[in-house]
Amino acid sequence: MSKKRKKNLAVNRQRNSYIIGVSIGLLFGIIFGYSTDSLIISTLVSGFLGFGLGHAIYKTIG
């Protein structure tokens, strides 16, 4: 496998990890937001936590 292909795979893996983390965070934020009647705050906080989750997923895999 060429170096360029390996680099592209690493970039795609990182992007996908962040997308998975943020989407899970937003999903939980929407669920908690509807249950606590503070949709915007819960979505923002959970989105940021999801970003951290995506970073943790990327560091665990890589």
Side-chain angles (χ1 to χ4, degrees):
M1 208 181 304
S2 67
K3 287 184 181 182
K4 185 176 181 180
R5 177 144 170 88
K6 285 183 183 180
K7 184 178 179 184
N8 285 339
L9 288 175
V11 169
N12 288 341
R13 186 181 305 122
Q14 182 179 13
R15 185 188 68 228
N16 291 341
S17 297
Y18 285 116
I19 288 172
I20 290 170
V22 170
S23 62
I24 290 172
L26 290 176
L27 179 67
F28 281 118
I30 291 170
I31 292 169
F32 289 136
Y34 279 126
S35 66
T36 61
D37 293 331
S38 60
L39 183 65
I40 296 172
I41 294 171
S42 294
T43 304
L44 286 175
V45 170
S46 296
F48 287 127
L49 291 174
F51 183 78
L53 177 66
H55 183 73
I57 290 170
Y58 175 68
K59 288 298 182 180
T60 302
I61 292 173

